[in-house]
Amino acid sequence: MATTLVRAPRETAAAPKPASPRRSRARRTAVAWLFLTPFALVFLVYTAIPTVAALALSLTDIRGADLRTPFAVDFTGVDNYLRLFQDDTFVRDILNTALFVAVGVPLTMGVGFTLALALNSGIRRLRGVLRTVFFAPVVTNVVAVALIWQYAFHSDGTVNKLLGAVGFAGPNWLDDPNLAMPVVILLGVWRNFGIAMVLFLAGLQAVPQDVYEAAAVVDGAGRWRQLRHITLPLLLPTTLMVSVLLTVFYLQVFDEPYLLTGGGPLGSTESVALYTYRQFGAGEFGMSSAASFVTLALVTVVSVVQFRLLRSRT
């Protein structure tokens, strides 16, 4: 009797089921938060919590004598902010800071853009060396620089000696309320034009050379027309970034007036940041916190205005 052997079908491994889109999205979110956790903790401890605490202090009458009993202070609401704008010193410092911004930002951008343009188009052989030299003031110790500038603009300093060599009697720059501010602004420009130069140079190098060649061949555009109709419009995003960065710096300017003049003479160079520092040093923690949030509000408003004005043209 013949028997028929029937081969049993092979067992095949079951194919894994694809993960659902919701589960895959949740897994990616969990991985993202895992990588963000270290930064989030640092931001929470060193930025978010101190900011909330400072905001709470600005709404109280806390002073240096209240540090032992910080929870016994009185809630004053916006009284500190009202007192700030009733203080003639604070109003004067706001005007001084506005002058820092109005003069310092255009000057710094102008010097930075001019040097970037020269390095990008006119100077090629020593570009790397000059770029390092021009950027050096940004990373130079500001205390040492301030001491050098104090000597240079002293009544017997280098600047007056140079003026005397050509027959002019130089003034005492840092003791004159009308001349101290230009010297402080000049120091700020000297310290920060390197940042503007590097950013503008990066923007210039991103502009395609074909555009310039086409403008020169087809339209016969010279250097001035190329600068006006090609370079400046294409640099608007870079200009926006440089303008915002420099404005934030000048609104918070502290090192230059503090080290060079101490805010004098007669408060002519005192900034809002220096006023905040003096209030804190005097133990007026509530007023100091309120002044810092006024500075934050100024930075926010000016930055938003700049974004609106310049972004609409990009």
Side-chain angles (χ1 to χ4, degrees), residues 151 155-166:
Y151 173 76
S155 57
D156 297 326
T158 307
V159 175
N160 283 351
K161 288 180 180 179
L162 293 175
L163 291 176
V166 295

Side-chain angles (χ1 to χ4, degrees), residues 8 10 16 21-22 41 52 74 84 116 123 141 186 210 215-216 218 261 298-299 310:
R10 295 181 178 178
R22 182 178 300 177
L41 290 175
V52 174
D74 296 327
L84 281 177
I123 301 174
N141 186 287
L186 190 62
D210 297 342
V218 177
T261 63
L298 290 174
V299 170
L310 293 178

Side-chain angles (χ1 to χ4, degrees), residues 4 7 59 135 164 172 218 223 228 258 289 303 309:
T4 305
R7 181 176 298 176
L59 303 176
F135 191 77
N172 194 351
V218 177
R223 288 295 182 89
R228 182 180 177 184
Y258 177 72
S289 300
S303 300
L309 291 178

Side-chain angles (χ1 to χ4, degrees), residues 15-176:
K17 295 182 179 180
S20 63
R22 182 178 300 177
R23 182 178 300 177
S24 177
R25 191 182 305 113
R27 184 178 300 172
R28 289 197 301 269
T29 303
V31 172
W33 275 110
L34 181 63
F35 281 102
L36 285 174
T37 297
F39 169 77
L41 290 175
V42 172
F43 176 80
L44 183 67
V45 173
Y46 292 103
T47 302
I49 294 178
T51 301
V52 174
L55 180 60
L57 291 178
S58 72
L59 303 176
T60 67
D61 61 352
I62 185 170
R63 293 179 174 86
D66 299 321
L67 290 179
R68 292 186 178 181
T69 57
F71 295 103
V73 298
D74 296 327
F75 177 80
T76 59
V78 297
D79 285 353
N80 287 331
Y81 294 92
L82 296 178
R83 287 175 57 196
L84 281 177
F85 289 98
Q86 292 171 357
D87 186 354
D88 294 337
T89 301
F90 183 74
V91 175
R92 179 202 64 198
D93 293 347
I94 286 182
L95 297 177
N96 288 342
T97 305
L99 185 59
F100 276 118
V101 174
V103 179
V105 172
L107 274 178
T108 307
M109 293 180 66
V111 174
F113 177 73
T114 302
L115 292 175
L117 200 62
L119 290 175
N120 187 62
S121 58
I123 301 174
R124 297 185 181 276
R125 184 169 298 178
L126 299 176
R127 179 185 299 174
V129 176
L130 292 177
R131 184 165 49 192
T132 303
V133 171
F134 291 146
F135 191 77
V138 179
V139 295
T140 304
N141 186 287
V142 64
V143 178
V145 171
L147 290 175
I148 295 173
W149 278 63
Q150 280 182 339
Y151 173 76
F153 285 93
H154 192 265
S155 57
D156 297 326
T158 307
V159 175
N160 283 351
K161 288 180 180 179
L162 293 175
L163 291 176
V166 295
F168 293 97
N172 194 351
W173 298 87
L174 299 180
D175 289 334
D176 189 330

